[in-house]
Each structure stands twice: as structure tokens, then as C-alpha cells.
């Protein structure tokens, strides 16, 4: 079974738009790095992650964290 950091309901907009909404709602620090990737300090420890996703069902997607390249 896949382990997701969190799930989102993706009905419209881009994947990053939906992730940013989640990050803002949960007061998580984020920015776009020099590779133009959305990265966030999800754990609050200064370690940034990028995001991937898998469809769970319907409009629900599981968000997977991947360690960001410095």
C-alpha cells in the first residue's frame, strides 16, 4: 500500500495550485527553487521536498514527498 503525505481533491487548476492551497491552509513554508520546482518544508525542520501524486479514486489524489535537490 502506498504511503501518502496527504491527499487533495483535484477538480480544477494545476497540481501545484492545489498543493499551494493545502500548504497555505496549513501554514507550511514553500517556494519555487532555482529549478522552478515547488518545494516545501513539510516537516518544519528545514528539509525541503518536491511533490508527486497518484490517483486514488475519482478526484482524490495521494501526494508523495520526494527529497528536493539542493
Amino acid at each position: 500500500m502506498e504511503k501518502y503525505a496527504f491527499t487533495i481533491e483535484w477538480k480544477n487548476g494545476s497540481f501545484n495550485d492545489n498543493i499551494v492551497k493545502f500548504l497555505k491552509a496549513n501554514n507550511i513554508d514553500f517556494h519555487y527553487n532555482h529549478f522552478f520546482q515547488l518545494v516545501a518544508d513539510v516537516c518544519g525542520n528545514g528539509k525541503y521536498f518536491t511533490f508527486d501524486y497518484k490517483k486514488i479514486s475519482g478526484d482524490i489524489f495521494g501526494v508523495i514527498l520526494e527529497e528536493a535537490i539542493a
Side-chain angles (χ1 to χ4, degrees):
M1 179 175 199
E2 195 77 43
K3 301 249 180 184
Y4 303 110
F6 53 90
T7 59
I8 59 169
E9 186 174 10
W10 185 0
K11 289 191 176 207
N12 54 40
S14 71
F15 176 67
N16 280 358
D17 288 343
N18 285 274
I19 294 295
V20 166
K21 286 178 192 173
F22 175 87
L23 297 173
K24 284 181 178 179
N26 290 284
N27 297 315
I28 298 172
D29 183 43
F30 68 92
H31 64 272
Y32 285 87
N33 67 12
H34 58 279
F35 296 114
F36 303 106
Q37 296 173 309
L38 177 63
V39 296
D41 182 6
V42 178
C43 301
N45 61 2
K47 191 175 202 179
Y48 284 82
F49 294 89
T50 59
F51 304 95
D52 198 3
Y53 61 91
K54 283 192 177 176
K55 185 173 188 162
I56 296 173
S57 68
D59 294 334
I60 305 298
F61 289 79
V63 179
I64 303 161
L65 300 179
E66 298 177 349
E67 192 170 344
I69 299 170

